[in-house]
Amino acid sequence: MRRLLILLVGWLVAAHMTAQVSFGKAEKMNDEWRFLRIDSAWNIAERDDMKLPDFDDSKWRQVRLPHDWGIELPMSPDKGSCQGYLTGGIGWYRRTLPYSAGKDERLFIYFEGVYNYSEVFLNGHLLGKRPSGFASFLYDLTPYLNKDGKNVVAVRVDHSQEADSRWYTGSGIYRNVWLVKAPKVHLAQWGTAYRLCSIDKKKAVVEVDVETTTEEPVTATTQLKAVVTLTDATGKTVATTKTTLGPKAKKTVKLTVRNPQRWTLSSPYLYTLTTTLENGDQSQVKAGLRTLQFSPDRGFALNGEWMKVMGVCLHDDAGVLGTAVPKAVWQRRLQELKAIGVNAIRMSHNPHAPELYDLCDELGLLVMDEASDEWEFPKRKWMKGWNQGAPGFQGTYTYFEEWIDRDVADMVRRDRCHPSIFMWSIGNEVDYPNDPYSHPVLNGNGSDFTQPAYGGYKPNQPHAERIGRIAQRLAKIVKEIDSSRPTTGALAGVVMSNETAYPEAIDVVGYNYTESRYESDHQKYPRRVIYGSENRHDLAAWKAVRDNDHIFGQFLWTGIDYLGESGVWPARGSSAGLLDLAGQRKPNGWYRASLWLHQPMCYIGTYPVGPQREGSRQNNRRSYWVSPYADDVWNYRDGQSVRVVCYTNGTDARLLLNGQPVAQTAQYDEATGIRYWDVEYAAGTLRCEADNGASYEITTTKAPAALRVTTDSVAHVFIEVVDEDGRLVKGADNEVTLMVRGARLLGMENGNIMDTFVAGRQQRSANRLRVHNGRLVAYIEPLAKTSEITIHAHSPFLKSAQLQLSSK
């Protein structure tokens, strides 16, 4: 009998939704930190007394969190390409804490993420260590607080193994920090959980777990009253109940919601769930209701509607900002991805910042949450360019056995209440053949490999059976905390893993780049639910999903360009995204929209074509490649032969040059699904009209004449080079200088993966950068909640531009 996995799920974000702390009163503690990076080149040595409250840090630099020191330093070819040729090292943070706990309260500090090997001290006392740079964690400050309220928090961050990841991770306290005040008996951290028992148009029945805890000995059997209330988007109470429980206890209550609103991708409706203890402790969180179904034959259904998951993989950084990315920057990026047709995000390959999950809840994006990229053995980390030279082997494997169980459990407990999350991934590509695991199946002579693959079986390397045992262990941890969503993993060597317990240990099996196995494995393992967990951007990979009901989706590598996993120097990172490092849509983003978007769309791009070189198979013929990466420019030599490509979800299109239809009918390329024309260039306007009503036009631009400055929010400032008619000049690379008053300039990003000047903004002129493709984006942060901000943009020989805005 084939397996149909049906999940009835409701979610809520943890209390103090932004802080992800499910108890107490939380306030951000991002200001007034002092920072010092240990640097032998500058004779800056580490001292043991840096953790002590009386240490003189007055000469340390003042910083505001979140803070990533790695992106502040210059790129260097002697650093690892895996980390974008950027520097790690050891850094210290210190901050005074003018607080003392009241008679009946406790004080906690909560870190959303510190990369990595952090040690936190209060008044010289070690509160704890956390090697993971992606885990969120909380410490009780109360035992070591001074009664006079004079306290010092010190944080040591050790990223001296600076090539420990295959991509850029950043260094430092790169996420928010929170101070939490709570009663002695309070709601447990991440203790609130929510399950949907049933739902129809008339009512929904849900269960809510209420969990209390205390850091003090439990000597009495005191019972606390608790009230659980659900309110709708207008603030109206739609369900409420009461219960009692002890100071270290857990109870489950039920709520009945009449005429429930579902959380969907097009209408992500969020309720508010409030849990209140009689001592005043309270959690107030967002909640969404919806169902999930997974079938080996039909794929995936959200709220009973079978659909295709059109996902992308994302890393943590945003170019010049490193990994210290404001929420508004992520919001703009996610909105642009959704405008392309993306409906799912894979958190590659680690838990991400809590704000990112909040945004996915609010915008209506599914999320595949992921625990790790590395298990008990290291992966190759490329040092001189991706797949170039000899690799390094630093990594997170060093603390795997001691910490992986807790790291996985904390990921699930922290994130389980988000309506966006629909799968838990226990690992990415941990099964790559002979890196390091091996198996006799690699010798070939079977139905899968007729010849030795990946160098054949290597008996001296770890046996692949170990993967299955670890997968069983981690999947069990997930299920003990949350059985409402399926477990999954992203398999890189599915043929080898099929010989282990790994695929059976998880509910849904992800295939990385192995679309050729979709049909054969569906026949061989008819109960297996299969999808593409990491995929190329080509049409064939999408057809393997689109044309097969049993494959429910794919996740493109990647949604956005990212730092690290770089090519040879001086590449900053990977250009595999639909958006560039500045969050701007690339031509292949428009191409993807033609495949995924339901609304009518049309785009045209161009590039020169001509005879092939002598000796080429295509000698004396026009270029044969039909590109999904063509820029929308119309500036060539008169009479030059130009290929015009059209990306549209229409069934046909026509091309007009200066208002006159181009004589020939569009040719169609089966390999890409692109329509194209080869035309002789003439200056003016090129317009394409698709039969779905969508159109797109590009016009010849003149020489750069001026700057244009615009904004979509207080966070982003867009600078463009335009001609005398106000048209964007895509060929421009002018250097722009920004002067900002009333706000802090966080950085300038042009999206050029080869521009090393973007990094090292502390050592170089942070307010100066060349545009790329005629534009760049600047990120700013108001100096006060109410602030008048002025941005002045200047470039030699161009007319300057100025923008004024308010942060009110």
mmCIF file of all heavy atoms in Angstrom, residues 94-133:
data_model
loop_
_atom_site.group_PDB
_atom_site.id
_atom_site.type_symbol
_atom_site.label_atom_id
_atom_site.label_comp_id
_atom_site.label_asym_id
_atom_site.label_seq_id
_atom_site.Cartn_x
_atom_site.Cartn_y
_atom_site.Cartn_z
ATOM 1 N N ARG A 94 32.000 43.709 24.583
ATOM 2 C CA ARG A 94 31.705 44.024 25.974
ATOM 3 C C ARG A 94 30.611 45.092 26.039
ATOM 4 O O ARG A 94 30.527 45.962 25.177
ATOM 5 C CB ARG A 94 32.959 44.541 26.705
ATOM 6 C CG ARG A 94 34.001 43.468 26.995
ATOM 7 C CD ARG A 94 35.306 44.072 27.479
ATOM 8 N NE ARG A 94 35.115 44.910 28.661
ATOM 9 C CZ ARG A 94 35.179 44.456 29.925
ATOM 10 N NH1 ARG A 94 35.435 43.186 30.169
ATOM 11 N NH2 ARG A 94 35.013 45.287 30.944
ATOM 12 N N ARG A 95 29.810 44.995 27.106
ATOM 13 C CA ARG A 95 28.742 45.969 27.294
ATOM 14 C C ARG A 95 28.378 46.045 28.765
ATOM 15 O O ARG A 95 28.292 45.028 29.450
ATOM 16 C CB ARG A 95 27.487 45.572 26.502
ATOM 17 C CG ARG A 95 26.384 46.633 26.495
ATOM 18 C CD ARG A 95 25.088 46.046 25.991
ATOM 19 N NE ARG A 95 24.070 47.047 25.692
ATOM 20 C CZ ARG A 95 23.295 47.632 26.582
ATOM 21 N NH1 ARG A 95 23.407 47.323 27.882
ATOM 22 N NH2 ARG A 95 22.377 48.516 26.207
ATOM 23 N N THR A 96 28.179 47.269 29.238
ATOM 24 C CA THR A 96 27.692 47.426 30.610
ATOM 25 C C THR A 96 26.214 47.071 30.661
ATOM 26 O O THR A 96 25.480 47.252 29.689
ATOM 27 C CB THR A 96 27.887 48.863 31.122
ATOM 28 O OG1 THR A 96 27.190 49.761 30.255
ATOM 29 C CG2 THR A 96 29.366 49.219 31.173
ATOM 30 N N LEU A 97 25.799 46.567 31.792
ATOM 31 C CA LEU A 97 24.416 46.135 31.980
ATOM 32 C C LEU A 97 23.907 46.736 33.286
ATOM 33 O O LEU A 97 24.082 46.149 34.361
ATOM 34 C CB LEU A 97 24.348 44.610 32.021
ATOM 35 C CG LEU A 97 22.966 43.969 32.035
ATOM 36 C CD1 LEU A 97 22.250 44.257 30.727
ATOM 37 C CD2 LEU A 97 23.093 42.465 32.238
ATOM 38 N N PRO A 98 23.280 47.904 33.220
ATOM 39 C CA PRO A 98 22.845 48.596 34.448
ATOM 40 C C PRO A 98 21.518 48.056 34.970
ATOM 41 O O PRO A 98 20.517 48.770 35.029
ATOM 42 C CB PRO A 98 22.734 50.046 33.984
ATOM 43 C CG PRO A 98 22.337 49.942 32.554
ATOM 44 C CD PRO A 98 23.024 48.710 32.019
ATOM 45 N N TYR A 99 21.511 46.777 35.298
ATOM 46 C CA TYR A 99 20.285 46.151 35.776
ATOM 47 C C TYR A 99 20.592 45.273 36.983
ATOM 48 O O TYR A 99 21.696 44.743 37.131
ATOM 49 C CB TYR A 99 19.652 45.261 34.697
ATOM 50 C CG TYR A 99 19.107 46.001 33.512
ATOM 51 C CD1 TYR A 99 19.872 46.152 32.358
ATOM 52 C CD2 TYR A 99 17.824 46.538 33.527
ATOM 53 C CE1 TYR A 99 19.378 46.818 31.249
ATOM 54 C CE2 TYR A 99 17.318 47.209 32.424
ATOM 55 C CZ TYR A 99 18.094 47.340 31.287
ATOM 56 O OH TYR A 99 17.605 47.999 30.201
ATOM 57 N N SER A 100 19.587 45.106 37.806
ATOM 58 C CA SER A 100 19.626 44.097 38.859
ATOM 59 C C SER A 100 18.239 43.470 38.914
ATOM 60 O O SER A 100 17.232 44.119 38.610
ATOM 61 C CB SER A 100 19.974 44.723 40.213
ATOM 62 O OG SER A 100 19.017 45.706 40.576
ATOM 63 N N ALA A 101 18.181 42.200 39.271
ATOM 64 C CA ALA A 101 16.901 41.503 39.306
ATOM 65 C C ALA A 101 16.130 41.886 40.558
ATOM 66 O O ALA A 101 16.700 42.036 41.647
ATOM 67 C CB ALA A 101 17.130 39.997 39.265
ATOM 68 N N GLY A 102 14.826 42.074 40.403
ATOM 69 C CA GLY A 102 13.969 42.335 41.557
ATOM 70 C C GLY A 102 13.800 41.091 42.407
ATOM 71 O O GLY A 102 14.281 39.991 42.075
ATOM 72 N N LYS A 103 13.099 41.236 43.505
ATOM 73 C CA LYS A 103 12.951 40.150 44.472
ATOM 74 C C LYS A 103 12.337 38.909 43.850
ATOM 75 O O LYS A 103 12.759 37.780 44.140
ATOM 76 C CB LYS A 103 12.103 40.629 45.649
ATOM 77 C CG LYS A 103 11.893 39.576 46.722
ATOM 78 C CD LYS A 103 11.029 40.118 47.860
ATOM 79 C CE LYS A 103 10.785 39.039 48.911
ATOM 80 N NZ LYS A 103 9.914 39.531 50.004
ATOM 81 N N ASP A 104 11.355 39.077 43.002
ATOM 82 C CA ASP A 104 10.634 37.940 42.456
ATOM 83 C C ASP A 104 10.805 37.804 40.941
ATOM 84 O O ASP A 104 9.896 37.360 40.241
ATOM 85 C CB ASP A 104 9.142 38.055 42.796
ATOM 86 C CG ASP A 104 8.887 37.974 44.290
ATOM 87 O OD1 ASP A 104 9.481 37.092 44.936
ATOM 88 O OD2 ASP A 104 8.114 38.807 44.802
ATOM 89 N N GLU A 105 11.951 38.204 40.427
ATOM 90 C CA GLU A 105 12.146 38.093 38.989
ATOM 91 C C GLU A 105 13.528 37.563 38.648
ATOM 92 O O GLU A 105 14.437 37.539 39.482
ATOM 93 C CB GLU A 105 11.934 39.448 38.306
ATOM 94 C CG GLU A 105 12.972 40.492 38.597
ATOM 95 C CD GLU A 105 12.725 41.802 37.834
ATOM 96 O OE1 GLU A 105 11.672 41.919 37.184
ATOM 97 O OE2 GLU A 105 13.594 42.682 37.889
ATOM 98 N N ARG A 106 13.633 37.110 37.399
ATOM 99 C CA ARG A 106 14.911 36.629 36.860
ATOM 100 C C ARG A 106 15.235 37.461 35.616
ATOM 101 O O ARG A 106 14.352 38.000 34.944
ATOM 102 C CB ARG A 106 14.823 35.158 36.459
ATOM 103 C CG ARG A 106 14.260 34.221 37.491
ATOM 104 C CD ARG A 106 15.221 33.912 38.603
ATOM 105 N NE ARG A 106 16.394 33.162 38.176
ATOM 106 C CZ ARG A 106 17.243 32.576 39.041
ATOM 107 N NH1 ARG A 106 17.023 32.674 40.356
ATOM 108 N NH2 ARG A 106 18.295 31.926 38.617
ATOM 109 N N LEU A 107 16.536 37.544 35.330
ATOM 110 C CA LEU A 107 17.014 38.298 34.174
ATOM 111 C C LEU A 107 17.802 37.352 33.278
ATOM 112 O O LEU A 107 18.667 36.606 33.755
ATOM 113 C CB LEU A 107 17.888 39.458 34.641
ATOM 114 C CG LEU A 107 18.023 40.668 33.714
ATOM 115 C CD1 LEU A 107 16.665 41.333 33.523
ATOM 116 C CD2 LEU A 107 19.012 41.667 34.293
ATOM 117 N N PHE A 108 17.500 37.389 31.982
ATOM 118 C CA PHE A 108 18.136 36.494 31.020
ATOM 119 C C PHE A 108 18.696 37.309 29.854
ATOM 120 O O PHE A 108 18.244 38.416 29.574
ATOM 121 C CB PHE A 108 17.126 35.485 30.469
ATOM 122 C CG PHE A 108 16.467 34.635 31.495
ATOM 123 C CD1 PHE A 108 15.339 35.086 32.182
ATOM 124 C CD2 PHE A 108 16.951 33.366 31.790
ATOM 125 C CE1 PHE A 108 14.720 34.296 33.127
ATOM 126 C CE2 PHE A 108 16.332 32.563 32.731
ATOM 127 C CZ PHE A 108 15.221 33.033 33.409
ATOM 128 N N ILE A 109 19.670 36.711 29.162
ATOM 129 C CA ILE A 109 20.175 37.288 27.923
ATOM 130 C C ILE A 109 20.010 36.242 26.825
ATOM 131 O O ILE A 109 20.298 35.059 27.021
ATOM 132 C CB ILE A 109 21.639 37.748 28.052
ATOM 133 C CG1 ILE A 109 22.054 38.577 26.827
ATOM 134 C CG2 ILE A 109 22.596 36.583 28.305
ATOM 135 C CD1 ILE A 109 23.386 39.297 26.993
ATOM 136 N N TYR A 110 19.483 36.704 25.681
ATOM 137 C CA TYR A 110 19.158 35.802 24.576
ATOM 138 C C TYR A 110 19.892 36.245 23.322
ATOM 139 O O TYR A 110 19.793 37.402 22.907
ATOM 140 C CB TYR A 110 17.652 35.799 24.336
ATOM 141 C CG TYR A 110 17.199 34.945 23.175
ATOM 142 C CD1 TYR A 110 17.169 33.560 23.264
ATOM 143 C CD2 TYR A 110 16.778 35.526 21.976
ATOM 144 C CE1 TYR A 110 16.747 32.783 22.201
ATOM 145 C CE2 TYR A 110 16.352 34.758 20.911
ATOM 146 C CZ TYR A 110 16.333 33.377 21.034
ATOM 147 O OH TYR A 110 15.923 32.608 19.973
ATOM 148 N N PHE A 111 20.643 35.331 22.727
ATOM 149 C CA PHE A 111 21.396 35.582 21.498
ATOM 150 C C PHE A 111 20.724 34.818 20.358
ATOM 151 O O PHE A 111 20.577 33.604 20.426
ATOM 152 C CB PHE A 111 22.840 35.113 21.642
ATOM 153 C CG PHE A 111 23.656 35.882 22.647
ATOM 154 C CD1 PHE A 111 23.643 35.521 23.990
ATOM 155 C CD2 PHE A 111 24.444 36.958 22.254
ATOM 156 C CE1 PHE A 111 24.397 36.218 24.920
ATOM 157 C CE2 PHE A 111 25.195 37.668 23.176
ATOM 158 C CZ PHE A 111 25.171 37.300 24.516
ATOM 159 N N GLU A 112 20.370 35.534 19.306
ATOM 160 C CA GLU A 112 19.773 34.865 18.148
ATOM 161 C C GLU A 112 20.820 34.126 17.323
ATOM 162 O O GLU A 112 20.491 33.161 16.627
ATOM 163 C CB GLU A 112 19.052 35.878 17.263
ATOM 164 C CG GLU A 112 17.801 36.456 17.889
ATOM 165 C CD GLU A 112 17.062 37.395 16.968
ATOM 166 O OE1 GLU A 112 17.536 37.598 15.815
ATOM 167 O OE2 GLU A 112 16.025 37.943 17.368
ATOM 168 N N GLY A 113 22.078 34.546 17.391
ATOM 169 C CA GLY A 113 23.126 33.851 16.662
ATOM 170 C C GLY A 113 24.467 34.549 16.802
ATOM 171 O O GLY A 113 24.550 35.774 16.667
ATOM 172 N N VAL A 114 25.523 33.776 17.081
ATOM 173 C CA VAL A 114 26.883 34.293 17.204
ATOM 174 C C VAL A 114 27.800 33.340 16.455
ATOM 175 O O VAL A 114 27.837 32.133 16.762
ATOM 176 C CB VAL A 114 27.332 34.383 18.682
ATOM 177 C CG1 VAL A 114 28.733 34.976 18.766
ATOM 178 C CG2 VAL A 114 26.338 35.179 19.517
ATOM 179 N N TYR A 115 28.551 33.840 15.469
ATOM 180 C CA TYR A 115 29.448 32.968 14.706
ATOM 181 C C TYR A 115 30.899 33.230 15.109
ATOM 182 O O TYR A 115 31.424 34.295 14.828
ATOM 183 C CB TYR A 115 29.299 33.184 13.199
ATOM 184 C CG TYR A 115 29.726 31.950 12.455
ATOM 185 C CD1 TYR A 115 28.801 30.969 12.112
ATOM 186 C CD2 TYR A 115 31.060 31.726 12.148
ATOM 187 C CE1 TYR A 115 29.202 29.808 11.463
ATOM 188 C CE2 TYR A 115 31.468 30.573 11.512
ATOM 189 C CZ TYR A 115 30.534 29.611 11.173
ATOM 190 O OH TYR A 115 30.932 28.458 10.552
ATOM 191 N N ASN A 116 31.525 32.239 15.687
ATOM 192 C CA ASN A 116 31.028 31.016 16.275
ATOM 193 C C ASN A 116 31.890 30.702 17.491
ATOM 194 O O ASN A 116 32.661 31.552 17.935
ATOM 195 C CB ASN A 116 31.015 29.859 15.271
ATOM 196 C CG ASN A 116 32.363 29.511 14.670
ATOM 197 O OD1 ASN A 116 33.355 30.240 14.825
ATOM 198 N ND2 ASN A 116 32.425 28.417 13.961
ATOM 199 N N TYR A 117 31.752 29.533 18.062
ATOM 200 C CA TYR A 117 32.468 29.164 19.295
ATOM 201 C C TYR A 117 32.398 30.305 20.319
ATOM 202 O O TYR A 117 33.412 30.802 20.800
ATOM 203 C CB TYR A 117 33.918 28.806 19.003
ATOM 204 C CG TYR A 117 34.084 27.453 18.344
ATOM 205 C CD1 TYR A 117 34.184 27.339 16.971
ATOM 206 C CD2 TYR A 117 34.137 26.295 19.113
ATOM 207 C CE1 TYR A 117 34.332 26.098 16.360
ATOM 208 C CE2 TYR A 117 34.287 25.053 18.509
ATOM 209 C CZ TYR A 117 34.384 24.964 17.132
ATOM 210 O OH TYR A 117 34.529 23.735 16.539
ATOM 211 N N SER A 118 31.189 30.689 20.659
ATOM 212 C CA SER A 118 31.020 31.811 21.583
ATOM 213 C C SER A 118 31.158 31.372 23.036
ATOM 214 O O SER A 118 30.808 30.244 23.408
ATOM 215 C CB SER A 118 29.640 32.454 21.374
ATOM 216 O OG SER A 118 28.605 31.544 21.695
ATOM 217 N N GLU A 119 31.663 32.287 23.850
ATOM 218 C CA GLU A 119 31.697 32.150 25.301
ATOM 219 C C GLU A 119 31.154 33.449 25.880
ATOM 220 O O GLU A 119 31.607 34.534 25.512
ATOM 221 C CB GLU A 119 33.116 31.910 25.809
ATOM 222 C CG GLU A 119 33.780 30.652 25.264
ATOM 223 C CD GLU A 119 35.231 30.559 25.722
ATOM 224 O OE1 GLU A 119 35.475 30.542 26.945
ATOM 225 O OE2 GLU A 119 36.118 30.525 24.844
ATOM 226 N N VAL A 120 30.182 33.338 26.773
ATOM 227 C CA VAL A 120 29.528 34.516 27.336
ATOM 228 C C VAL A 120 29.823 34.596 28.828
ATOM 229 O O VAL A 120 29.660 33.610 29.561
ATOM 230 C CB VAL A 120 28.002 34.471 27.094
ATOM 231 C CG1 VAL A 120 27.341 35.724 27.655
ATOM 232 C CG2 VAL A 120 27.706 34.337 25.595
ATOM 233 N N PHE A 121 30.263 35.782 29.271
ATOM 234 C CA PHE A 121 30.625 36.021 30.662
ATOM 235 C C PHE A 121 29.780 37.158 31.228
ATOM 236 O O PHE A 121 29.447 38.112 30.519
ATOM 237 C CB PHE A 121 32.095 36.413 30.793
ATOM 238 C CG PHE A 121 33.066 35.397 30.235
ATOM 239 C CD1 PHE A 121 33.437 35.428 28.886
ATOM 240 C CD2 PHE A 121 33.620 34.431 31.053
ATOM 241 C CE1 PHE A 121 34.331 34.515 28.368
ATOM 242 C CE2 PHE A 121 34.522 33.508 30.547
ATOM 243 C CZ PHE A 121 34.881 33.550 29.198
ATOM 244 N N LEU A 122 29.448 37.055 32.495
ATOM 245 C CA LEU A 122 28.844 38.156 33.233
ATOM 246 C C LEU A 122 29.684 38.397 34.485
ATOM 247 O O LEU A 122 29.845 37.496 35.317
ATOM 248 C CB LEU A 122 27.400 37.843 33.631
ATOM 249 C CG LEU A 122 26.728 38.925 34.490
ATOM 250 C CD1 LEU A 122 26.589 40.227 33.703
ATOM 251 C CD2 LEU A 122 25.370 38.462 34.998
ATOM 252 N N ASN A 123 30.241 39.608 34.556
ATOM 253 C CA ASN A 123 31.101 39.979 35.692
ATOM 254 C C ASN A 123 32.210 38.955 35.910
ATOM 255 O O ASN A 123 32.571 38.617 37.049
ATOM 256 C CB ASN A 123 30.264 40.137 36.963
ATOM 257 C CG ASN A 123 29.242 41.243 36.841
ATOM 258 O OD1 ASN A 123 29.480 42.247 36.176
ATOM 259 N ND2 ASN A 123 28.078 41.064 37.463
ATOM 260 N N GLY A 124 32.741 38.428 34.790
ATOM 261 C CA GLY A 124 33.846 37.479 34.854
ATOM 262 C C GLY A 124 33.439 36.034 34.992
ATOM 263 O O GLY A 124 34.287 35.138 34.865
ATOM 264 N N HIS A 125 32.167 35.750 35.227
ATOM 265 C CA HIS A 125 31.690 34.380 35.392
ATOM 266 C C HIS A 125 31.222 33.827 34.046
ATOM 267 O O HIS A 125 30.444 34.465 33.330
ATOM 268 C CB HIS A 125 30.528 34.327 36.386
ATOM 269 C CG HIS A 125 30.890 34.801 37.761
ATOM 270 N ND1 HIS A 125 31.521 34.007 38.692
ATOM 271 C CD2 HIS A 125 30.704 36.002 38.363
ATOM 272 C CE1 HIS A 125 31.700 34.679 39.811
ATOM 273 N NE2 HIS A 125 31.221 35.907 39.635
ATOM 274 N N LEU A 126 31.672 32.632 33.718
ATOM 275 C CA LEU A 126 31.269 32.003 32.466
ATOM 276 C C LEU A 126 29.823 31.537 32.560
ATOM 277 O O LEU A 126 29.467 30.712 33.406
ATOM 278 C CB LEU A 126 32.172 30.808 32.147
ATOM 279 C CG LEU A 126 31.816 30.019 30.881
ATOM 280 C CD1 LEU A 126 32.008 30.870 29.634
ATOM 281 C CD2 LEU A 126 32.648 28.733 30.795
ATOM 282 N N LEU A 127 28.970 32.068 31.665
ATOM 283 C CA LEU A 127 27.573 31.650 31.632
ATOM 284 C C LEU A 127 27.381 30.418 30.761
ATOM 285 O O LEU A 127 26.481 29.602 31.012
ATOM 286 C CB LEU A 127 26.695 32.786 31.099
ATOM 287 C CG LEU A 127 26.694 34.085 31.897
ATOM 288 C CD1 LEU A 127 25.803 35.120 31.218
ATOM 289 C CD2 LEU A 127 26.233 33.846 33.323
ATOM 290 N N GLY A 128 28.190 30.290 29.717
ATOM 291 C CA GLY A 128 28.078 29.124 28.853
ATOM 292 C C GLY A 128 28.841 29.291 27.562
ATOM 293 O O GLY A 128 29.324 30.385 27.231
ATOM 294 N N LYS A 129 28.957 28.182 26.830
ATOM 295 C CA LYS A 129 29.622 28.154 25.536
ATOM 296 C C LYS A 129 28.666 27.560 24.503
ATOM 297 O O LYS A 129 27.841 26.705 24.817
ATOM 298 C CB LYS A 129 30.882 27.293 25.593
ATOM 299 C CG LYS A 129 31.926 27.737 26.612
ATOM 300 C CD LYS A 129 33.130 26.797 26.589
ATOM 301 C CE LYS A 129 34.194 27.217 27.595
ATOM 302 N NZ LYS A 129 35.393 26.330 27.542
ATOM 303 N N ARG A 130 28.780 28.028 23.266
ATOM 304 C CA ARG A 130 27.987 27.453 22.167
ATOM 305 C C ARG A 130 28.840 27.464 20.906
ATOM 306 O O ARG A 130 29.114 28.518 20.326
ATOM 307 C CB ARG A 130 26.699 28.249 21.946
ATOM 308 C CG ARG A 130 25.651 27.495 21.123
ATOM 309 C CD ARG A 130 25.183 26.244 21.853
ATOM 310 N NE ARG A 130 24.248 25.462 21.083
ATOM 311 C CZ ARG A 130 22.930 25.418 21.329
ATOM 312 N NH1 ARG A 130 22.409 26.128 22.316
ATOM 313 N NH2 ARG A 130 22.161 24.641 20.600
ATOM 314 N N PRO A 131 29.284 26.290 20.450
ATOM 315 C CA PRO A 131 30.135 26.260 19.251
ATOM 316 C C PRO A 131 29.401 26.606 17.963
ATOM 317 O O PRO A 131 29.976 27.211 17.066
ATOM 318 C CB PRO A 131 30.661 24.818 19.227
ATOM 319 C CG PRO A 131 29.700 24.044 20.055
ATOM 320 C CD PRO A 131 29.171 24.977 21.090
ATOM 321 N N SER A 132 28.118 26.236 17.853
ATOM 322 C CA SER A 132 27.380 26.509 16.616
ATOM 323 C C SER A 132 27.219 28.004 16.408
ATOM 324 O O SER A 132 26.823 28.730 17.317
ATOM 325 C CB SER A 132 26.000 25.850 16.654
ATOM 326 O OG SER A 132 25.227 26.273 15.541
ATOM 327 N N GLY A 133 27.479 28.438 15.188
ATOM 328 C CA GLY A 133 27.271 29.841 14.852
ATOM 329 C C GLY A 133 25.871 30.140 14.391
ATOM 330 O O GLY A 133 25.546 31.297 14.106
#
